[in-house]
Each structure stands twice: as structure tokens, then as C-alpha cells.
Amino acid sequence: MNEFLSAIPFAFLYALATGPVFFIVIQMALEGRGKEAFILDIGCVIADIVILFLGYLGLRSFMTDFTQRTDIFLLGGFLFICFGLYFFIKKILYS
């Protein structure tokens, strides 16, 4: 539960980040549709909270034994090497 509580400031930062919804809310407010803009903003904040909560629930069991699982580190390293080789070869072939 400590992880969830420590993520709350990041959730507020994420909710206030500029994005497409931010600009839609500003546009609606400038057009005089403040009530609709407020409802849209509340819906987006609730959706962000639900997504963060579901992500926490999904990763809770994964994070308990993360440091003992070397296969995850090996898989991540393998993926980084594959991506690096792909972009390196792509740059050589198409330049």
C-alpha cells in the first residue's frame, strides 16, 4: 500500500499534464461551455485514477519478487540488444 500512496503525487502531476484533453477543456471553457468542460475534466481524472489503481493491482504480485527473477533482466537485456541492432542495421542500409 505504501507504493500506492507514494504514487499519488505522480498521479496528480499526470492528471494535470498538458495533453489533448487539457486543450479541449480550455477550448470548451473559452466557448462558454464551462459546465461541460468541468464534467469532462472530472471524467478524465476519474479515468486516470482507475487506470493507476488497476496498474497497481496488476503489478503488485510482480513487484514482490522482482529482484530475484533474473530471467526478466535477461529478457530485458536481450530486447535492448535486438532493438539496438535493428536500428543500427536499418541506419546502415537506408543511408
Side-chain angles (χ1 to χ4, degrees):
M1 191 65 176
N2 287 336
E3 295 89 5
F4 184 71
L5 293 176
S6 66
I8 289 177
F10 294 111
F12 283 116
L13 179 67
Y14 176 68
L16 297 175
T18 57
V21 175
F22 175 75
F23 293 110
I24 290 172
V25 168
I26 288 178
Q27 178 184 359
M28 290 173 76
L30 291 175
E31 290 175 352
R33 301 180 348 205
K35 184 177 179 181
E36 290 93 353
F38 180 73
I39 292 172
L40 176 69
D41 196 32
I42 294 297
C44 290
V45 169
I46 291 171
D48 288 342
I49 290 170
V50 167
I51 291 294
L52 288 171
F53 185 68
L54 289 176
Y56 170 73
L57 289 179
L59 291 175
R60 184 175 50 185
S61 64
F62 178 74
M63 304 235 342
T64 56
D65 61 344
F66 181 71
T67 56
Q68 283 79 25
R69 300 201 47 197
T70 58
D71 55 342
I72 294 174
F73 293 119
L74 292 174
L75 177 65
F78 178 72
L79 289 175
F80 274 125
I81 290 172
C82 288
F83 278 120
L85 286 175
Y86 170 75
F87 286 113
F88 182 71
I89 293 171
K90 183 178 173 183
K91 183 178 180 180
I92 289 174
L93 291 177
Y94 294 113
S95 60

